[in-house]
Amino acid sequence: MGPAGKALFLSTLCIFLCNNLLASTTLKPDVKIRAAYIYKFTKFISWPETAFQTSTSNFTICIANNKDDEISKFLKNGLFGRYYKSHPLIVEKITADSIGSKQNTLDQCHILYITESAPSAIIEQTINTSPHLLTINASNNINANSIINFLEINKRIIFSIDSTQLNKSNINISATLLTLARNIKGADFDK
Amino acid sequence: MTNSVKQTSLGKKLFIATMLIILFSVTLVVLPVIYLNISDAKQSLLEQSLVDLDLITANSTAGLLFDHPQAIEELLKTLNKAPKVSSAHIYKLSEFTDEIAHYASYRHPDSSYRAPEAIYLLSNEEIKFTTDYLQIYTPIHLDNEVIGYALMAVSTNHLNKSILRAISITAIIVLSTLVVVAIILKAQQSRLLQPVLDLTNTAEKIINNHDYSLRVKIQSHDEIGTLTQRFNNMLDAIENYDQIRNKNEQVIKNLNENLEIKVTERTQQLNISNQELQTTLRELHDTQGYLVENEKMASLGSLVAGVAHEINTPLGISLTAASHLLNESHELQENHKKGNLTKIMFEQYQQDCTESTQIIVNNLHRAANLVKSFKQVSVDQSSEEVRSFNVKQYLQDILLSLQPELKQRKPEITLEIDDHLIISSFPGALSQIITNLIMNSVIHAFHNNPGGIINIKILKEDHLLSLIYTDNGAGIDPMILPRIFDPFITTKRGAGGSGLGTHIIYNLVSQLLGGNINVVSKLNQGATFTINFPVDTPDTLATDIPRISV
């Protein structure tokens, strides 16, 4: 990284940190880790170009939550100005109300983070979800058919990967990420 | 002993030179091979290590990013399949503080490698060969961002052992080669050097004994064989020269033995010849002096004849006048005694007496002047004294003295001389020079041509007098012209010519007067003698010169 890049990275990081300093006083530690994981997944997972309308169209991270959650705010602030390849990262919050006002809400999403307070309709939609949508369950208590599931063991956030769901999608997860997964569900994992 | 030392020295030199050449050649070939092998081994080790390091870094990113050190350590454990890897370390770069912290490690059970401090990674080179390890490190990137570092230490023991083995094998090969070459050399040395030793021994014998009949046996047909052949040829030539030299020495010895006798004989003969030559030379000198004296006396004789002739006339006239006066006086006395003396007769007698007396006085004066003049010339001819004289008057006196000689040929002599030219010189020498030149012209040049012309021209410039004598006679024979001044050169030998006239002129000019003389002549076109000699001009004496009138 050159000096200019380093400076840009540090300034961005500063903004990221400064914007969250106020919130961090009330923010749960695991929220930050989860937010970071969601962002870092984009580094090890590849989406097909057909998942984007244009080469510069947005990469949308959807947070399904009916409540006033912290993670969507944290991600919105933190991911501002960041990209997946040439696609700017944006965060959309999906609530029961937004589902009612929009048709095929999940079509615009590339990552769907399903919280425990996610609208039930969203959970139902994951059965027929888009092939380029990475679904992430916030915990084991959620019955959505997600590819990645967060687990909390001994106060440490880890994740597992459901190969059955993964095989249904068009996204690719790198081997290095797979090695980090706590476990990989599904006997027919062949990717 | 010396011979032996020389032989050993030559053998040693050949041996050392050959061994050095072999050592140098083998080293020259082997060193680059060793160097290339070591370089290849290093490069191979480095490339393999870089592959391993790339694998580690590529697979460490997720573990670093998701903060999973166990996963990275599991990954690093796979390096136990690579026994050369001594140690591997992953360092994490903090997102927030930019600090580098140790994150995961792998260490081979036999490794003693100590990982450097983390800060080392930012300040040192990425690839470093130490004595025991190859140490390489690389940043771990994710999307152009450095998220950590990977450091790997690879043991170079195997490489070092390979290098040592290669050097050992090479050294063994070189030493073996040298030993084999040394054995071959030693075996061949005596065979190769034997002809040279034979040559040396033979040369030593010849030097000590001077026995040139010795020859060296030709043992090979190579360069040494050729050298031996040439050596033998040289001995042939030396032996031949030696035999000739011995013969010559014998001849010289014989000659030397007879030389003294011959020298004595020749010396005696030379002494005799020398004595004869001295006698002849002395006789020659005597003869020359005699002839010169004769010439001088002849000249004086001519002078006396001239004097007699010139004085005879005035004396005869005076005698006639005196006889006439005596007769007239007797007749006057007779007439007086008889008393027949008349006045007319007396007056006639007085007149005759006066006239006769006058005639007698005049002629006696003339005779007296002639005597004076001849006396001066004769004195000058017989003496070699310097005096001042008027040149033209003196030459006129000389011509006067020569009148009897000139009467027969009657040459016309003209003088081109300044009337007032007075010089201080040897008048006798000048008189003899002029006399001889004129007599030569009369006798030789005008022998068949009476009435020739002689011109004598005398000029004086500063202290140099030039006398140019020219006649229009028969000229000088070209055969004798180059030797005209040599003694006894004459075309009138047996007819009165002594052959000393021009020689005397030459001697007087060159020795007494200190001048030079040369002659130019063509047959039938006369001759010109040019004489130059230094003179003084005694101005103060000019007025004291007695005037001699002819």
Side-chain angles (χ1 to χ4, degrees):
Chain A
M1 184 187 289
K6 192 89 177 174
L8 182 64
F9 176 75
L10 289 172
S11 59
T12 308
L13 199 65
C14 181
I15 293 165
F16 179 81
L17 291 170
C18 292
N19 287 340
N20 289 286
L21 272 176
L22 293 172
S24 66
T25 53
T26 57
L27 204 62
K28 293 177 181 177
D30 68 308
V31 170
K32 287 196 283 185
I33 294 171
R34 286 164 189 271
Y37 272 31
I38 290 167
Y39 167 65
K40 289 173 182 177
F41 284 145
T42 64
K43 304 292 183 183
F44 296 94
I45 298 172
S46 60
W47 278 262
E49 281 301 311
T50 53
F52 303 95
Q53 290 179 350
T54 66
S55 61
T56 56
S57 58
N58 292 334
F59 184 97
T60 307
I61 298 172
C62 298
I63 309 295
N65 194 349
N66 269 334
K67 293 181 180 177
D68 185 15
D69 66 315
E70 296 170 323
I71 194 165
S72 58
K73 290 178 184 175
F74 185 77
L75 279 172
K76 273 186 180 177
N77 290 328
L79 298 183
F80 180 77
R82 294 182 179 252
Y83 290 81
Y84 166 76
K85 295 183 178 174
S86 58
H87 305 285
L89 297 179
I90 62 167
V91 177
E92 289 285 343
K93 185 175 180 183
I94 298 174
T95 63
D97 294 340
S98 63
I99 293 171
S101 63
K102 294 179 183 176
Q103 293 297 320
N104 298 322
T105 307
L106 301 183
D107 288 347
Q108 61 176 335
C109 299
H110 297 89
I111 293 175
L112 175 61
Y113 181 66
I114 304 167
T115 64
E116 289 176 343
S117 56
S120 56
I122 294 296
I123 297 172
E124 289 170 4
Q125 277 188 30
T126 56
I127 299 170
N128 297 313
T129 188
S130 167
H132 56 259
L133 180 63
L134 172 69
T135 52
I136 303 170
N137 280 347
S139 74
N140 277 338
N141 300 328
I142 300 167
N143 288 324
N145 295 318
S146 297
I147 296 171
I148 295 175
N149 290 288
F150 280 134
L151 308 170
E152 187 169 344
I153 299 173
N154 297 331
K155 294 183 179 179
R156 187 161 184 262
I157 303 296
I158 60 173
F159 62 89
S160 66
I161 295 173
D162 187 336
S163 61
T164 305
Q165 297 302 321
L166 180 62
N167 286 339
K168 290 178 182 176
S169 69
N170 287 335
I171 60 176
N172 287 316
I173 298 178
S174 79
T176 53
L177 187 60
L178 288 172
T179 58
L180 294 180
R182 172 71 178 181
N183 55 45
I184 300 171
K185 293 178 184 175
D188 57 343
F189 181 74
D190 57 3
K191 283 192 174 180
Chain B
M1 191 64 182
T2 307
N3 193 13
S4 164
V5 170
K6 281 182 182 173
Q7 288 163 13
T8 307
S9 176
L10 179 61
K12 266 188 181 176
K13 283 177 183 173
L14 281 172
F15 181 78
I16 291 168
T18 310
M19 296 301 280
L20 284 176
I21 290 168
I22 297 286
L23 182 63
F24 178 72
S25 304
V26 173
T27 307
L28 203 64
V29 172
V30 165
L31 276 184
V33 174
I34 292 175
Y35 176 76
L36 289 175
N37 280 337
I38 292 171
S39 296
D40 284 349
K42 275 187 174 180
Q43 189 63 30
S44 176
L45 182 67
L46 179 62
E47 285 173 359
Q48 183 59 48
S49 302
L50 285 173
V51 169
D52 292 343
L53 192 64
D54 281 348
L55 279 173
I56 290 169
T57 54
N59 290 297
S60 298
T61 50
L64 278 172
L65 214 56
F66 291 98
D67 197 17
H68 209 306
Q70 294 86 355
I72 294 176
E73 292 201 347
E74 286 296 321
L75 173 69
L76 294 179
K77 279 181 184 174
T78 60
L79 290 173
N80 61 8
K81 301 284 173 48
K84 293 178 188 173
V85 177
S86 293
S87 185
H89 303 273
I90 301 295
Y91 299 84
K92 186 176 183 181
L93 181 66
S94 171
E95 293 178 273
F96 308 111
T97 62
D98 244 5
E99 289 180 353
I100 301 170
H102 183 263
Y103 198 70
S105 289
Y106 160 77
R107 187 182 297 277
H108 192 276
D110 299 332
S111 171
S112 60
Y113 176 77
R114 288 184 62 188
E117 294 295 326
I119 192 67
Y120 167 87
L121 301 173
L122 295 173
S123 59
N124 279 284
E125 56 197 22
E126 295 183 356
I127 298 170
K128 182 180 179 184
F129 272 98
T130 63
T131 310
D132 298 320
Y133 297 102
L134 163 63
Q135 179 181 289
I136 50 177
Y137 82 91
T138 184
I140 301 171
H141 290 98
L142 182 69
D143 290 348
N144 298 325
E145 292 179 10
V146 176
I147 61 172
Y149 291 91
L151 174 78
M152 195 165 76
V154 182
S155 171
T156 55
N157 282 342
H158 184 72
L159 178 68
N160 291 340
K161 285 178 183 175
S162 298
I163 293 170
L164 194 62
R165 188 166 59 246
I167 291 172
S168 302
I169 291 171
T170 305
I172 289 168
I173 291 171
V174 171
L175 285 175
S176 303
T177 307
L178 289 176
V179 168
V180 170
V181 170
I183 292 167
I184 294 170
L185 269 179
K186 281 290 178 188
Q188 294 290 318
Q189 200 173 33
S190 60
R191 191 176 67 82
L192 288 170
L193 290 177
Q194 190 55 45
V196 180
L197 295 178
D198 288 349
L199 277 171
T200 310
N201 290 333
T202 307
E204 285 286 336
K205 286 179 185 174
I206 291 169
I207 290 168
N208 293 331
N209 305 327
H210 300 285
D211 181 4
Y212 299 109
S213 63
L214 292 174
R215 295 293 181 271
V216 184
K217 185 182 177 183
I218 297 171
Q219 299 177 6
S220 58
H221 296 286
D222 51 11
E223 287 81 355
I224 294 177
T226 308
L227 175 65
T228 308
Q229 181 63 49
R230 298 290 178 269
F231 183 77
N232 287 339
N233 293 343
M234 190 175 69
L235 284 177
D236 291 341
I238 291 173
E239 187 179 18
N240 192 26
Y241 288 136
D242 188 54
Q243 289 173 353
I244 294 170
R245 186 176 61 82
N246 287 336
K247 285 181 183 175
N248 289 338
E249 279 182 356
Q250 189 58 42
V251 170
I252 291 169
K253 191 177 177 184
N254 294 337
L255 285 173
N256 282 338
E257 287 174 357
N258 296 326
L259 187 62
E260 195 172 345
I261 299 169
K262 286 187 177 177
V263 167
T264 306
E265 289 175 355
R266 291 293 166 92
T267 305
Q268 288 176 350
Q269 290 174 359
L270 281 172
N271 284 335
I272 294 167
S273 299
N274 195 25
Q275 285 177 356
E276 288 175 353
L277 280 173
Q278 283 181 348
T279 305
T280 305
L281 185 63
R282 191 163 53 248
E283 289 174 353
L284 199 60
H285 279 157
D286 291 345
T287 305
Q288 187 177 356
Y290 174 74
L291 288 171
V292 170
E293 195 61 31
N294 273 355
E295 190 72 13
K296 194 183 283 184
M297 293 308 292
S299 180
L300 279 172
S302 297
L303 184 64
V304 171
V307 170
H309 176 78
E310 286 304 315
I311 291 176
N312 188 47
T313 302
L315 284 180
I317 293 170
S318 299
L319 185 60
T320 304
S323 299
H324 175 70
L325 184 59
L326 184 60
N327 288 335
E328 286 295 324
S329 297
H330 285 158
E331 194 173 336
L332 181 66
Q333 285 175 349
E334 287 291 332
N335 288 330
H336 183 256
K337 285 178 180 175
K338 291 174 181 176
N340 297 330
L341 185 62
T342 64
K343 186 179 179 182
I344 294 170
M345 288 173 67
F346 185 73
E347 287 175 354
Q348 182 63 41
Y349 173 76
Q350 281 182 321
Q351 186 178 354
D352 288 344
C353 190
T354 302
E355 287 176 355
S356 295
T357 307
Q358 189 62 47
I359 289 169
I360 290 167
V361 169
N362 287 343
N363 280 282
L364 285 177
H365 271 298
R366 186 182 173 200
N369 286 337
L370 282 171
V371 169
K372 277 185 184 176
S373 176
F374 293 148
K375 183 183 176 186
Q376 189 62 59
V377 172
S378 64
V379 168
D380 288 340
Q381 282 191 359
S382 61
S383 70
E384 292 180 352
E385 289 181 359
V386 176
R387 68 178 180 87
S388 297
F389 55 94
N390 182 295
V391 179
K392 190 171 184 178
Q393 284 182 3
Y394 193 67
L395 258 64
Q396 284 173 341
D397 289 345
I398 293 167
L399 293 180
L400 189 61
S401 70
L402 291 176
Q403 282 305 313
E405 307 292 342
L406 303 179
K407 271 184 180 173
Q408 193 174 0
R409 304 280 182 242
K410 293 183 179 171
E412 180 185 340
I413 300 174
T414 57
L415 299 178
E416 291 184 42
I417 306 168
D418 183 3
D419 291 342
H420 305 291
L421 176 60
I422 297 170
I423 62 170
S424 177
S425 185
F426 296 93
L430 184 61
S431 166
Q432 201 151 9
I433 289 164
I434 294 296
T435 301
N436 284 355
L437 286 173
I438 290 173
M439 291 312 295
N440 272 345
S441 294
V442 170
I443 295 168
H444 301 288
F446 303 139
H447 178 66
N448 297 320
N449 182 24
I453 298 171
I454 293 171
N455 180 265
I456 300 172
K457 184 176 182 179
I458 294 178
L459 298 170
K460 181 173 176 292
E461 287 187 8
D462 295 333
H463 294 284
L464 188 71
L465 193 81
S466 296
L467 187 156
I468 302 158
Y469 178 93
T470 308
D471 71 37
N472 63 345
I476 302 167
D477 186 350
M479 296 293 288
I480 65 167
L481 186 62
R483 299 180 290 125
I484 188 71
F485 296 117
D486 290 353
F488 311 114
I489 296 298
T490 179
T491 56
K492 296 288 181 187
R493 196 171 306 283
S498 66
L500 287 171
T502 51
H503 178 63
I504 290 168
I505 293 171
Y506 179 81
N507 283 342
L508 289 171
V509 170
S510 61
Q511 293 175 14
L512 189 63
L513 298 179
N516 59 70
I517 179 170
N518 64 69
V519 58
V520 177
S521 176
K522 285 186 178 178
L523 211 54
N524 299 320
Q525 291 184 16
T528 298
F529 291 81
T530 303
I531 298 169
N532 298 303
F533 59 94
V535 295
D536 292 329
T537 306
D539 294 335
T540 54
L541 294 173
T543 53
D544 300 333
I545 297 298
R547 309 297 293 177
I548 301 172
S549 59
V550 178

